[in-house]
Amino acid sequence: MTKATILTGITTTGTPHLGNYVGAIRPAIAASKDPNVSPFYFLADYHALIKCHEPERVRQSSLEIAATWLALGLDTSNAVFYRQSDVPEIMELTWMLTCVTAKGLMNRAHAYKAAVAENEEGGEKDPDKGVTMGLFSYPILMAADILMFNAHKVPVGKDQIQHIEMARDIAGRFNHLYGEHFVLPEAVIDDNAATLAGLDGRKMSKSYNNTIPLFEPEKKLRKLINKIKTNSQEPGEPKDPETCTLFSIYRAFATPSEVAQIRQRYADGIGWGEMKQILFEYINQQVAPARDRYEALMQAPEHIEQQLREGAEKAREISVPFIKELRQAVGISRISA
Ligand code: TRP
């Protein structure tokens, strides 16, 4: 049996937070231990340049994300863990794909359409104001990430489904022109993956600036949890767990029986101060061992670098011969030996 290749990328523009952890990192790390799949996980640093022109931030984020995944026990003997920019064949493939991608397809990309809509609503004369070619053609770079390793399955958030469909379109077009080189990838949406609310009750997201970093030191973690917005109900009043941010976070970490107990405490009128204390203690004890490893790794960046280089070597065992085949297919080759 050939193993299914699963692949996903993490854009290196932020610090991993609790929402990233439960929604993406935790399931990916669990999958890295499954001997029946062949996982590819990478730091999407070229993607970072699309929205972030701060070199220090991109560098720091790459370090933090790599340290996080390693500290959480990513199995790098099974998973290929690499930095996109260490695999230059991806960029080369991006151009080959760019040349078979209809501009009209890119016109329909959500991220681009949202930027145009915002300009129009703001009364801008130029609907493309602030839109770089990077943003416009970003789905092609993402298609190259996926097709380079002929991934079968791509675990992503709902906002990325369209990009996977575009990757399929682009792969189909290339295959039609040049022969069957690419697998058509499928998006995998994990309906069980929790979506966490953030400090202000909206979805936890770096764009809302309401996140709780996963490996925040203990004192700061306590402070942030104390800042989570709650309603003004008093201790003793029965409370609704379903609309409570504290509960949504607790539930993403605790076992079903622990969750059932806390649900009862809500019915019995637990006070917000006490619930915040319980939540802090719970998360803190859960993340503490990985946080220690994270801090040690952050002090030893050469160890992280080494892991990423080994990952890139494994990735290039595939990408180097494959790009050679693709060059041949499109007619780019030496005239004589
Ligand atoms: N665009 C993805 C995001 O913002 C990150 C990403 C880049 C990705 N390349 C990918 C995800 C390839 C899956 C496959 O979340």
Side-chain angles (χ1 to χ4, degrees):
M1 192 193 89
T2 53
K3 295 184 188 181
T5 296
I6 59 170
L7 175 145
T8 200
I10 316 102
T11 305
T12 55
T13 48
T15 298
H17 55 70
L18 295 179
N20 299 141
Y21 173 65
V22 302
I25 310 175
R26 188 169 62 186
I29 289 183
S32 78
K33 301 188 164 83
D34 180 347
N36 297 316
V37 302
S38 171
F40 285 69
Y41 301 138
F42 67 96
L43 305 175
D45 51 357
Y46 278 126
H47 285 264
L49 303 187
I50 295 167
K51 39 187 173 177
C52 179
H53 297 156
E54 299 161 59
E56 202 33 60
R57 172 122 174 251
V58 175
R59 238 188 311 272
Q60 181 65 18
S61 171
S62 301
L63 176 66
E64 289 174 354
I65 293 172
T68 298
W69 286 61
L70 294 172
L72 289 167
L74 176 70
D75 180 0
T76 51
S77 68
N78 189 36
V80 184
F81 186 52
Y82 56 103
R83 185 164 41 201
Q84 184 185 34
S85 59
D86 282 342
V87 184
E89 293 74 30
I90 294 169
M91 294 317 298
E92 195 172 339
L93 178 57
T94 299
W95 184 251
M96 292 185 193
L97 300 179
T98 300
C99 294
V100 302
T101 301
K103 174 173 176 287
L105 184 68
M106 295 299 100
N107 287 342
R108 292 194 283 280
H110 297 319
Y112 170 63
K113 277 178 36 181
V116 169
E118 201 177 308
N119 282 333
E120 281 167 351
E121 279 157 28
E124 275 298 335
K125 285 192 299 290
D126 177 5
D128 283 333
K129 180 153 189 252
V131 176
T132 64
M133 287 307 293
L135 175 69
F136 184 67
S137 49
Y138 140 55
I140 311 177
L141 176 57
M142 191 158 153
D145 290 330
I146 298 167
L147 302 180
M148 187 84 256
F149 299 101
N150 269 329
H152 303 93
K153 298 192 180 295
V154 187
V156 284
K158 290 199 179 66
D159 61 321
Q160 299 287 319
I161 296 176
Q162 188 196 33
H163 295 145
I164 313 305
E165 283 165 1
M166 289 178 160
R168 287 173 70 89
D169 270 15
I170 296 169
R173 180 86 190 123
F174 190 98
N175 286 350
H176 175 74
L177 287 165
Y178 298 117
E180 293 294 312
H181 296 279
F182 296 126
V183 165
L184 304 191
E186 269 172 45
V188 186
I189 307 298
D190 183 354
D191 289 321
N192 299 320
T195 328
L196 289 196
L199 296 176
D200 58 358
R202 291 185 291 174
K203 179 184 173 203
M204 190 181 288
S205 159
K206 66 177 178 255
S207 38
Y208 293 146
N209 201 13
N210 65 355
T211 66
I212 300 176
L214 174 59
F215 291 137
E216 200 73 320
E218 189 167 321
K219 271 196 187 143
K220 282 193 165 169
L221 179 65
R222 183 193 292 276
K223 263 200 178 151
L224 279 176
I225 288 178
N226 283 333
K227 269 175 61 180
I228 294 173
K229 211 171 120 191
T230 53
N231 64 24
S232 55
Q233 284 182 292
E234 298 290 331
E237 287 182 60
K239 299 181 173 65
D240 178 14
E242 298 310 323
T243 55
C244 177
T245 303
L246 300 171
F247 185 79
S248 100
I249 300 176
Y250 185 83
R251 177 161 62 184
F253 285 83
T255 65
S257 77
E258 290 164 334
V259 173
Q261 280 173 29
I262 291 292
R263 208 182 269 287
Q264 187 57 47
R265 298 289 315 272
Y266 271 67
D268 297 341
I270 190 172
W272 295 135
E274 186 183 357
M275 183 56 203
K276 285 181 171 176
Q277 177 67 18
I278 291 174
L279 181 63
F280 162 73
E281 304 265 339
Y282 199 93
I283 292 188
N284 190 52
Q285 54 91 14
Q286 285 233 336
V287 300
R291 185 171 57 206
D292 290 346
R293 289 193 293 272
Y294 175 81
E295 279 161 8
L297 280 163
M298 291 297 281
Q299 297 306 313
E302 65 286 355
H303 182 73
I304 301 173
E305 183 60 31
Q306 176 67 19
Q307 295 273 332
L308 289 173
R309 287 200 195 167
E310 285 173 22
E313 252 170 62
K314 286 202 256 172
R316 294 193 76 201
E317 280 168 24
I318 297 169
S319 64
V320 170
F322 193 29
I323 204 77
K324 221 171 148 190
E325 170 190 322
L326 295 171
R327 283 171 159 228
Q328 198 75 37
V330 300
I332 291 180
S333 57
R334 297 206 173 143
I335 288 168
S336 89

